[in-house]
Amino acid sequence: MTAVTQDTTHTDSIQRKWWKEAVVYQVYPMSFKDADGDGIGDLKGIISKLDYIKSLGVDVVWLNPVYQSPNRDNGYDISNYEAIMSRFGTMADFDSLLAGLHRRGLKLVMDLVVNHTSDQHPWFVQSRSSRSNPYRNFYHWWDAERGKPAHRYSFFDVNNEAWKYDSLTHAYYLHYFGDFQPDLNWENPQVRDSIFQMMRFWLDKGVDGFRMDVIPFISKDTTFPPLPPQYNGDFVKYYANGPHLHEYLRDMNRDVLSRYDCMSVAEGIGVTTATAHDFVDADRHELNMLYHFEGVSLGMVPGKFKEVQPGGVRLVDFKNLYSKWDSVFEQKGWGTVYLGNHDQPRMVTRWGNDDPQWRALSSKMLTTFLLTMRATPYYYAGDELGMTNIKFNRISDYRDVESLNMYDHLKKTGGNLQEFLRDQKITARDNGRTPFQWNNSRNAGFTTGTPWLRVNPNYLTINAETEGKDSTSCLNYFRKLIQIRKQRLVFVYGKYTELDKDNPSVYAYTRELDGKTILVLLNFTANTAEVNVGNDLAHASLLIDNYPHPSRTNLLQPYEAAVYEW
Ligand code: TEU
């Protein structure tokens, strides 16, 4: 572990790993800091903010894709895996970013996007060009003489159709995402070799690991059978976890990951408590961690993409879910916890309360949850300020291919556009992608040009500079809690026990390790709430509380978060 003070007593029974003890901070390059004034964040911008990142106390930066890309899905459409997107800078900029992070004792995790490439990638350009091209089998093609392939759903396709007809060779190619993102054919050993070689290229440069985009999709049933009658919109179930997935991941581990001191985390789309161990148990020799989608799917209509369920989320369901996921990794494997990322709305809008009266309190309460669970926290840049959803009114404000295509699809099929726009205010990915709010100058100090996506007007008060000067801000709460966590291994490895499980307002749990006990109390409501934890709070020391006048009793103030220690 890098440059942190840690309690290192009595941990023999625990298999310590740096990536279990780390706090991961996710930086979305498009939106973090623009150094050259073109309105889009860049590597030099990130470099200029490394001292800020260091000041947070985090250990690892996960950087969303910075590879060469036409950028139609903000870097998730890669045309050259070993080059940097010119709008972000050069390879020399990348090298100085990496060196700057390492000099500060921080690690860098790259995004690995290998289910698909851009249609501009030379492999696809070749593959498309003729049926006999040596790269033909780098992708999934279905010759049109066989008839139309069975329907498969695609994210980001106006017609929701994952097969696209290409007249050049009279065949269809598969794209689970946009039609500009053709899926690689992992059955082909040359594809696997090329990817593994590319991973070694980055690891040899010194990067510290990978976050693996939609990795459960890489293996597919390549007979592409029709979706069964019980399909009911749950495409992930039928697309993910193909027959050779774990074989490929083991090969990747053997040939690449095991040769470096690196960490790996799967974007665990479709992974359930039943399948999680197959990915992350140490004796499987595959990956270190995954992040599941069950948490962020709470409150969404099952089988309907991004439709919000009326009535909201019941806290008891939230608690049950996170307790269930804790128990999954009680003996083996290791978990992660997150409430926001670049595909999600802002944490405080979705899980807290972004009304000005409650925003800061509820945001700190959620931060407390993330930093006190038994799992590696993945914390999304901007959440430390309590940034909120921007809630655009018009479709023309959106930039995300997902929102724009869903809108066009509904328009074409006569769907309810008003309902869609209403739901997007909660769920749209652009809510989490508005520029980082650095200060109260024009464009929040993000750019001197025109920002690629509108800046949230609340930057005048919600910004890093203002919050940095306020000891009670969300930002300083985050910093303080990280230090508290770092000084006590109980926060990382301590046993988790939920208390007062049926309490509809308060989430309460203990963490225990080697005679030390931590008690976490989180009021998830805008009302005063009582919790029954059977502990004498008067004899515990209060490590942190989000109120200037903590209750210090079992009666919690609205959105109060309290962490006690024995
Ligand atoms: O997301 C994969 C994924 O499952 C998405 O469908 C995600 O759940 C959805 O967009 C949420 O709205 C990954 C990346 O994180 C995302 O940014 C990319 O657009 C996508 O893969 C394609 O690479």
Side-chain angles (χ1 to χ4, degrees), residues 238-511:
Y238 299 95
Y239 291 9
N241 302 311
H244 302 294
L245 174 62
H246 293 288
E247 183 187 316
Y248 298 158
L249 291 178
R250 272 195 300 278
D251 288 354
M252 183 192 279
N253 183 292
R254 189 195 56 228
D255 294 355
V256 186
L257 301 173
S258 63
R259 296 168 188 240
Y260 300 83
D261 178 21
C262 65
M263 63 164 255
S264 52
V265 54
E267 186 192 24
I269 190 163
V271 179
T272 64
T273 51
T275 56
H277 285 291
D278 298 344
F279 291 81
V280 298
D281 285 1
D283 55 13
R284 297 270 305 180
H285 302 288
E286 296 189 21
L287 306 177
N288 299 139
M289 294 172 270
L290 62 89
Y291 64 86
H292 62 78
F293 279 59
E294 286 188 6
V296 294
S297 303
L298 274 179
M300 308 295 276
V301 181
K304 291 269 186 320
F305 194 51
K306 304 247 152 160
E307 244 178 67
V308 180
Q309 210 156 30
V313 176
R314 292 188 325 142
L315 180 67
V316 171
D317 295 334
F318 183 93
K319 298 195 290 185
N320 284 344
L321 188 142
Y322 285 97
S323 292
K324 176 184 79 173
W325 275 96
D326 176 84
S327 70
V328 170
F329 300 122
E330 178 122 45
Q331 305 298 332
K332 279 178 120 186
W334 187 253
T336 63
V337 63
Y338 73 105
L339 290 175
N341 64 33
H342 66 294
D343 290 335
Q344 298 296 327
R346 280 291 167 189
M347 149 177 115
V348 69
T349 302
R350 179 82 205 282
W351 303 107
N353 187 336
D354 63 6
D355 183 286
Q357 189 184 359
W358 305 121
R359 181 194 63 85
L361 282 166
S362 67
S363 176
K364 291 174 199 168
M365 186 276 291
L366 296 170
T367 292
T368 314
F369 166 69
L370 291 172
L371 293 181
T372 57
M373 290 295 282
R374 174 166 55 185
T376 299
Y378 284 70
Y379 202 90
Y380 185 49
D383 282 344
E384 75 274 27
L385 307 177
M387 280 177 62
T388 64
N389 276 16
I390 191 162
K391 304 181 185 169
F392 290 133
N393 288 318
R394 293 168 313 188
I395 190 66
S396 58
D397 288 326
Y398 287 98
R399 295 289 171 270
D400 183 12
V401 60
E402 177 178 288
S403 299
L404 299 175
N405 280 335
M406 283 169 78
Y407 185 88
D408 285 350
H409 176 75
L410 282 176
K411 209 166 152 184
K412 266 178 121 165
T413 54
N416 188 328
L417 295 173
Q418 286 323 311
E419 263 173 34
F420 171 77
L421 286 174
R422 187 198 61 209
D423 283 357
Q424 287 282 294
K425 289 185 186 193
I426 303 297
T427 61
R429 307 197 295 182
D430 278 343
N431 286 300
R433 297 176 177 186
T434 61
F436 191 95
Q437 295 165 204
W438 290 105
N439 55 43
N440 60 12
S441 73
R442 208 173 128 255
N443 297 326
F446 165 70
T447 180
T448 54
T450 307
W452 70 277
L453 182 66
R454 257 172 52 199
V455 175
N456 194 316
N458 62 20
Y459 75 90
L460 290 171
T461 49
I462 305 172
N463 67 69
E465 194 181 301
T466 307
E467 293 195 31
K469 292 183 204 143
D470 172 2
S471 63
T472 69
S473 65
C474 293
L475 174 59
N476 283 318
Y477 185 89
F478 178 62
R479 287 176 170 146
K480 192 169 160 203
L481 189 52
I482 287 200
Q483 290 315 315
I484 290 171
R485 177 185 163 94
K486 293 223 168 285
Q487 286 152 8
R488 294 164 183 81
L489 278 186
V490 59
F491 281 110
V492 179
Y493 298 107
K495 181 178 162 52
Y496 161 98
T497 310
E498 196 193 330
L499 308 173
D500 200 6
K501 290 188 184 177
D502 299 328
N503 192 316
S505 310
V506 180
Y507 195 170
Y509 47 93
T510 54
R511 303 291 313 282

Side-chain angles (χ1 to χ4, degrees), residues 133-196:
N133 186 281
Y135 285 90
R136 186 67 170 179
N137 285 326
F138 266 53
Y139 296 85
H140 296 284
W141 289 97
W142 181 281
D143 293 340
E145 300 84 285
R146 300 169 66 192
K148 207 169 179 279
H151 168 75
R152 310 218 108 204
Y153 176 91
S154 158
F155 301 85
F156 316 162
D157 185 79
V158 184
N159 299 315
N160 289 356
E161 179 52 65
W163 288 104
K164 173 144 176 167
Y165 177 69
D166 191 21
S167 59
L168 198 64
T169 54
H170 189 47
Y172 298 83
Y173 67 85
L174 185 75
H175 62 91
Y176 278 171
F177 293 88
D179 61 3
F180 56 92
Q181 291 165 303
D183 282 39
L184 282 164
N185 176 12
W186 274 69
E187 305 289 301
N188 180 347
Q190 281 177 290
V191 167
R192 303 199 295 273
D193 286 349
S194 309
I195 299 294
F196 296 169

